[in-house]
Amino acid sequence: MPVRFTAAPSASYRVRRPLSTAELDTVRQHLHADVPDPQELLNTVVAAVFTALLTDVGETYPDHEPDPRFERGLYAIPISQWTAICLALTSRAATWGPTTTVEMDFAALMPSAYDDPTATTPDLGPPEQPASSIHIEVTREAADTIAACGRHIAALAYAYGGLDLSFIAAADTWSEQLTRLLSAPAGTRVVLHADGPLSLLVSTGNGDQSRITFRPSPTRCIAAGRCQAVATTTGGVVLWQPDQPGAVVLDHEHEPDAALDRPRPGTWITQP
């Protein structure tokens, strides 16, 4: 492709300089804009280049574009920038088919180029798009815990019925926790670890941590009287203890509010 080079630096030109980072970013935006055809692509890119250069002399590209006497060779950018723009444009134009005509028009419409060893080759690839997804990593142990949570909810439905409030509370709070994970801002990286029975540790890429903890409902004594005992099971042994300091624990045969061999109702909560 023919490239117009300026003569010696002392030659007459109106503007001869590198495009700034901001100006190159504008060119890049036009290189990857949604346009209907390669000719429109070429026109908008050339306009972006000359708009930047003509600013130096207080003029605009529409002032000169229709004029066949407009001397484009009186303006110049470094060959590294010129070539990068050319390659990016022809690569994009190739999506419409052969680019020979576009390349010839590009050489005719662009400003001149000059050698500037200090001007680096710009990256004119597509602008970075905002992240539109989240990335969730699940350890093997966490996957087993998630499966166990699902089985526990199914067991509650089987033991108490699908309309029982204890089942509904467990299912709703587990669903809320999963929704919270999936509603993290786009671009977030989340790692899930097991954190005890039916519980997860959640860590994010910025170092934050939280826990999804299963909090079982206490097994309370409902025998006649004002007994305020709750049952705890350790090693298969059931112990009845006060549910809070000063609570009344009657000396009688305790009656649990739910069979001790049934899956324990409860809810999932978020903890720091």
Side-chain angles (χ1 to χ4, degrees):
M1 177 187 301
V3 182
R4 283 191 304 271
F5 283 90
T6 57
S10 59
S12 176
Y13 54 85
R14 298 195 71 198
V15 181
R16 180 178 180 272
R17 66 167 176 84
L19 297 175
S20 69
T21 300
E23 291 165 345
L24 285 169
D25 189 59
T26 299
V27 171
R28 182 172 67 163
Q29 296 289 341
H30 286 290
L31 281 166
H32 301 284
D34 183 13
V35 292
D37 53 60
Q39 190 61 50
E40 181 68 16
L41 174 68
L42 173 64
N43 292 341
T44 57
V45 170
V46 170
V49 173
F50 272 107
T51 295
L53 297 177
L54 287 167
T55 299
D56 291 19
V57 291
E59 299 171 5
T60 66
Y61 188 54
D63 295 337
H64 297 284
E65 181 187 12
D67 188 352
R69 297 170 298 175
F70 178 41
E71 296 188 55
R72 298 171 184 267
L74 296 181
Y75 306 84
I77 61 175
I79 185 62
S80 57
Q81 294 184 350
W82 196 101
T83 303
I85 296 171
C86 175
L87 292 176
L89 185 139
T90 53
S91 175
R92 172 78 194 284
T95 60
W96 282 283
T99 62
T100 303
T101 302
V102 172
E103 292 175 359
M104 294 177 62
D105 289 345
F106 179 86
L109 295 174
M110 280 286 283
S112 298
Y114 67 95
D115 187 25
D116 182 353
T118 65
T120 59
T121 300
D123 178 8
L124 297 177
E128 291 186 7
Q129 299 297 318
S132 59
S133 61
I134 60 175
H135 181 79
I136 299 179
E137 295 180 17
V138 183
T139 66
R140 177 68 265 171
E141 294 78 9
D144 292 340
T145 298
I146 292 171
C149 292
R151 290 194 298 269
H152 188 75
I153 292 173
L156 290 174
Y158 180 80
Y160 300 100
L163 298 179
D164 186 83
L165 293 180
S166 61
F167 160 73
I168 293 173
D172 283 353
T173 55
W174 177 243
S175 177
E176 288 170 4
Q177 295 297 335
L178 295 181
T179 299
R180 183 177 66 85
L181 285 176
L182 297 176
S183 300
T188 300
R189 177 177 176 269
V190 177
V191 182
L192 302 181
H193 304 270
D195 191 43
L198 304 180
S199 300
L200 297 168
L201 172 65
V202 182
S203 59
T204 62
N206 61 10
D208 292 338
Q209 285 191 340
S210 62
R211 286 175 167 80
I212 299 175
T213 302
F214 179 70
R215 183 175 60 185
S217 301
T219 301
R220 299 185 179 279
C221 176
I222 57 173
R226 298 179 55 194
C227 184
Q228 296 175 306
V230 294
T232 59
T233 303
T234 304
V237 178
V238 179
L239 300 176
W240 290 92
Q241 299 174 327
D243 63 351
Q244 58 185 339
V248 176
V249 177
L250 299 180
D251 184 12
H252 64 179
E253 184 175 348
H254 297 285
E255 180 183 347
D257 59 358
L260 295 175
D261 59 351
R262 285 186 174 187
R264 195 66 213 151
T267 55
W268 277 271
I269 62 172
T270 301
Q271 293 184 309

